[in-house]
Amino acid sequence: MKKLYLIGNAHLDPAWLWPWQEGFAEVKATFSSALDRLNEYEGFIFTSSSVQYYEWIEKNEPELFEKIRSRVREGRWVICGGWWIQPDCNIPSGESFVRQGLLGQRYLLEKFGRMATVGYNVDSFGHNGALPQILKKQGLSAYVFLRPGPHEKDLPASTFWWEANDGSRVVGYQIPYTYCSWLPGLEDHIRQCVADLKKENLQSFMCFYGVGNHGGGPTIKSLDYIRSIQSEVAETENVALTFASPEDFLTDLNRDPVSLPVCRDDLQHHAPGCYSANSMIKEANQKAENALLRAEKYGVLAERLGRPVEDVLEEPWKRVLFNQFHDILAGACIESVYPEALAQYGEAVSLAGQTENYALQGISFHIQIPKEEAMQPLVVFNPHPWPVQAVICHERGMEPGCGCKVLDSTGREAPHQLVRTQAQVEGRRNIAFEVTVPPMGYETYRLYMDPALSPAGPVKADDPYMLENDMVRVRFNAATGLIDSIFDKKARTEFLHAPAPVPTVIHDDSDTWSHGIQRFDEVLGAFTLRSINRVETGPLLNRIRVVSTYEDSILTQTFTLYRFSPIVYAEARLNWRGKNQCLKLRIPVQVENATATFGNPFGHIVREATGLEEPFQNWIDISGACPQNGMQQGLTLITDHKYGADVKGQALSLTVLRSPVFAHHIPQRLNPEDEYLYTEQGTQIFQYSLIPHTGGWRNARPAQRASELLQPLTKVAETYHPGEFPQSYSGLAFCEPNIILSALKKAHHAEGYILRAYETDGKYTAATIQAPLFSGDIQVSFSPYEVKTLLIRPGLENCVQEVSMTELPPEHNIKEHL
């Protein structure tokens, strides 16, 4: 007899069409109801995910929490998921997914004596293809999801092996029809699942039931109905209706010798509008993620140098993880949810900033800096395990006619120039100077101001519409403000097929999620030039500012080219007034037989260039053959908090924003006579960079360049003083460019440090990590696309050990832990 496992659950949206405080109350009501049903119905099993809810109960209703603990020990309250919340699975960084499992699984282990074994993300709007490796390394052997539906992706079966690009596999299970069902629809739901099970080459199947979204769970009527049909279904259909958990299904599957098909892909596309809805929450998430990661690194640097700071970052991480809930981060909530979410992200950024400042000033104040007249010491810190060349700006008062120079710790003069100040105050100057900072360390620069030095004057530009250095020439069109050409002077090759980036306005009357939409391509028009001006000219950098308009919206883009890099940097300030519209930046690239590569958590994915709206993380590349000489070349786009794009043919289009009504869900129709709140209204700032490269995309090193954009160098203005530290220091250096640092932090509630890194190029790599910070080099081997987590305990004989993403060694005994 086949078994239909009935999974009693209550999908709980902590915030969506209601604020999180209401979700908090509903969690308590739903859990109380579930406990009542457990008392009333022998054999009934309740399944619940999202560790945040358990912490809420523990802190607010400890007696209720103890009752849940008792039912968990009994095995009738089943904890699954293992993550802090059910997050959006396209926007968060790879490290955020790790923290979902780290904080979630360790909480479950501490409070309940066990960790979840089944990943559970039933309502998210698609799932990135890197997740199987993350899930497996968090102790999760399966992943339960609903979306995308059969009409959105043709999966090989409802139950399959889901495989990441490193070869890691977990069992994927697509929930049939819905994750929540109750009478009167429950009867048809169960009958449909029974019919599907009989067609499957499996002995068991899962059917989810219970009141959901605003909570509720299995009802008395639903449970009575199930009891009333169990015997009849067994006799007529030869199917046993069994109260169970997802773990029971997995146990049966492991006994069943059926060979499952394999899916090696993202699980998309549901609600592609959510990749770009509500920029403000996506920007807040990106800033908080990277502020915390950078603060953790600098905290380790300071502690290992003998200047420890208090570790206060776990609670800010919880705020970030909570607000990665799929409806919040996807931009699908009502407008009133977002001020609170932004405040919580702001709290995380503030606490991370305090930690970083304590760490860096704890170091910089102990650097040996001799006293010199008219000298300002500036210490620049690098959070990356490779040297970073960049431009730092420092504002200060300076007498008219006074000149300056900048020297590094060896006495080498750093190129500099005066650029525009932020404050329009007499006597205020902004000095931009070039720096090269050692890996995971710092470099001390000395700024001298002296009337005897020649003041830096403007450098005359031969062409007001050209940015040029020894590597590239970037030509703007004076009539359109678009870039007509990005030309590689050494390879003698052009990278643009047509002018770019074209700010293109798209008709978009879809709802907030863009249900039923696969692409945004109904062009309404484009921004047109208002002005183009060269705003900075000098030996270090040149800038051109382009202002363009579309109806009532204004886009100001400032393009910068530094003397030492072929990268074109852009900062965009957009005052958007459009409604039911989408804005894209269209970039046609000069290649044939184009391949489109999209960054994703801990890696990348190659997709067809068919114009479908796709999610990505931090970078996209188009590469192919140069039409003139047949050589490989391409263009990589790096951006900070934009996550949607399409590639069609040889043109890349970055989705800047969509402006639907807040929380508009079809089939609800909008009344043209009514007033609504639209997303994206007002001013936002975003950054992007264009990296021309010869050869394949790996030559552009997009993961490194994206890391530098998201976690820039930090400057500390110091004074002269004695100290025990040298003026230049490197604490951690990766020797192989295809190995990227994801995190360096203190171990979770244990002695030692965690170093997490991943391989980007798809090749076996024997990596050397130079680690003066830990008193010796570290040798570690990476398989293609592998993410490794290392526990480092300086002073021990076996001081480096590979551990899981829950920071437990492979042989860890849970009973001993408890």
Side-chain angles (χ1 to χ4, degrees), residues 489-506:
K489 296 167 69 173
K490 181 178 179 181
R492 308 296 297 173
T493 186
E494 173 61 49
F495 290 95
L496 292 184
H497 175 68
V502 183
T504 306
V505 180
I506 309 291

Side-chain angles (χ1 to χ4, degrees), residues 34 120 243 299 411 719 751:
Y120 187 91
F243 293 119
T719 185
E751 294 297 323

Side-chain angles (χ1 to χ4, degrees), residues 467-676:
L467 299 176
E468 187 173 7
N469 59 23
D470 291 342
M471 288 154 276
V472 294
R473 183 166 59 241
V474 182
R475 186 179 68 246
F476 288 77
N477 187 302
T480 65
L482 302 176
I483 300 175
D484 280 342
S485 171
I486 299 177
F487 184 75
D488 187 311
K489 296 167 69 173
K490 181 178 179 181
R492 308 296 297 173
T493 186
E494 173 61 49
F495 290 95
L496 292 184
H497 175 68
V502 183
T504 306
V505 180
I506 309 291
H507 174 65
D508 175 21
D509 61 359
S510 61
D511 68 7
T512 308
W513 292 257
S514 295
H515 284 113
I517 301 297
Q518 294 294 310
R519 61 191 76 220
F520 302 103
D521 57 3
E522 187 181 339
V523 176
L524 292 175
F527 279 66
T528 56
L529 182 66
R530 172 185 285 183
S531 64
I532 177 170
N533 294 288
R534 181 181 290 271
V535 293
E536 302 286 359
T537 303
L540 178 58
L541 64 92
N542 288 272
R543 287 190 176 122
I544 288 177
R545 180 166 297 153
V546 178
V547 181
S548 54
T549 61
Y550 180 84
E551 296 179 343
D552 295 330
S553 299
I554 303 173
L555 174 63
T556 301
Q557 297 187 88
T558 304
F559 297 91
T560 301
L561 186 68
Y562 298 116
R563 74 174 191 94
F564 53 82
S565 172
I567 301 174
V568 181
Y569 295 89
E571 181 180 88
R573 181 182 295 269
L574 173 64
N575 188 340
W576 179 256
R577 300 297 177 189
K579 299 174 180 178
N580 292 128
Q581 294 173 342
C582 170
L583 175 62
K584 286 178 173 281
L585 294 180
R586 187 172 183 274
I587 304 168
V589 183
Q590 180 88 316
V591 293
E592 293 178 337
N593 303 316
T595 297
T597 307
F598 295 69
N600 71 1
F602 296 132
H604 64 271
I605 185 169
V606 177
R607 297 189 174 110
E608 293 184 14
T610 59
L612 287 179
E613 188 74 3
E614 301 280 6
F616 76 98
Q617 292 224 340
N618 307 332
W619 65 272
I620 310 174
D621 179 85
I622 298 182
S623 292
C626 174
Q628 282 73 42
N629 55 31
M631 301 295 289
Q632 280 289 112
Q633 67 177 42
L635 191 71
T636 302
L637 179 141
I638 308 281
T639 187
D640 54 357
H641 63 270
K642 303 301 176 183
Y643 297 94
D646 74 81
V647 177
K648 187 172 184 180
Q650 61 191 139
L652 182 163
S653 294
L654 173 68
T655 307
V656 174
L657 56 79
R658 296 177 54 249
S659 49
V661 170
F662 276 98
H664 171 217
H665 194 302
I666 58 169
Q668 176 69 30
R669 293 182 178 274
L670 300 178
N671 181 354
E673 304 300 321
D674 207 347
E675 292 289 329
Y676 297 98

Side-chain angles (χ1 to χ4, degrees), residues 353-415:
Q354 291 179 38
T355 298
E356 176 177 313
N357 184 63
Y358 286 142
L360 298 191
Q361 294 217 34
I363 296 169
S364 66
F365 196 70
H366 290 262
I367 295 174
Q368 173 71 28
I369 304 175
K371 181 178 179 179
E372 295 183 69
E373 293 299 326
M375 186 271 289
Q376 164 83 70
L378 301 168
V379 184
V380 183
F381 288 85
N382 176 12
H384 306 293
W386 56 82
V388 172
Q389 189 175 17
V391 170
I392 294 292
C393 290
H394 180 64
E395 293 203 12
R396 60 163 300 135
M398 188 183 297
E399 295 294 329
C402 185
C404 65
K405 68 178 178 179
V406 182
L407 304 181
D408 67 11
S409 61
T410 68
R412 182 187 69 88
E413 185 166 357

